Amino acid sequence: MRQLKEGMYARSLAGHDKGRLYIVSKVSGDDIWLTDGEGRNLAHPKKKKRIHIQPCFQTASSLKALILKQQTLTDTDIRNALKCKEEL
């Protein structure tokens, strides 16, 4: 099974936010914390079970650079990464 990591895209499969695109902010066992930089910002991420999301196993290049440099992500970085993915 492929490993889910911080910064990857994931789409919600269940709940009121079904179909919404997020960025993974934290992974802990079967629990995944998702953020979109707006309603679900980094301070208050959405907690979902692994079975309720569809991971894309793709990381935005802008986020990948920040993660490699071990810099903290901001809500603006998250919003920009999601905007780029939705345009594709």
Side-chain angles (χ1 to χ4, degrees):
M1 186 192 304
R2 295 170 82 179
Q3 189 173 8
L4 198 59
K5 296 180 183 175
E6 180 185 352
M8 288 184 170
Y9 294 107
R11 192 168 300 278
S12 173
L13 294 176
H16 73 279
D17 60 346
K18 183 178 179 179
R20 188 161 186 168
L21 189 64
Y22 290 100
I23 298 285
V24 175
S25 63
K26 181 180 171 186
V27 178
S28 175
D30 282 341
D31 294 328
I32 312 294
W33 280 265
L34 305 170
T35 183
D36 63 3
E38 293 179 47
R40 286 297 177 172
N41 55 26
L42 287 166
H44 298 95
K46 174 85 173 160
K47 181 181 173 185
K48 282 200 174 263
K49 296 285 184 188
R50 186 179 293 263
I51 62 172
H52 293 149
I53 65 162
Q54 178 184 14
C56 295
F57 296 108
Q58 227 180 355
T59 305
S61 56
S62 59
L63 294 181
K64 194 181 293 187
L66 291 173
I67 292 169
L68 287 176
K69 293 178 185 176
Q70 295 181 343
Q71 294 180 346
T72 56
L73 299 177
T74 64
D75 291 322
T76 305
D77 297 330
I78 300 292
R79 283 192 302 270
N80 290 338
L82 287 171
K83 212 178 283 184
C84 292
K85 178 70 173 179
E86 290 173 352
E87 290 173 359
L88 297 176

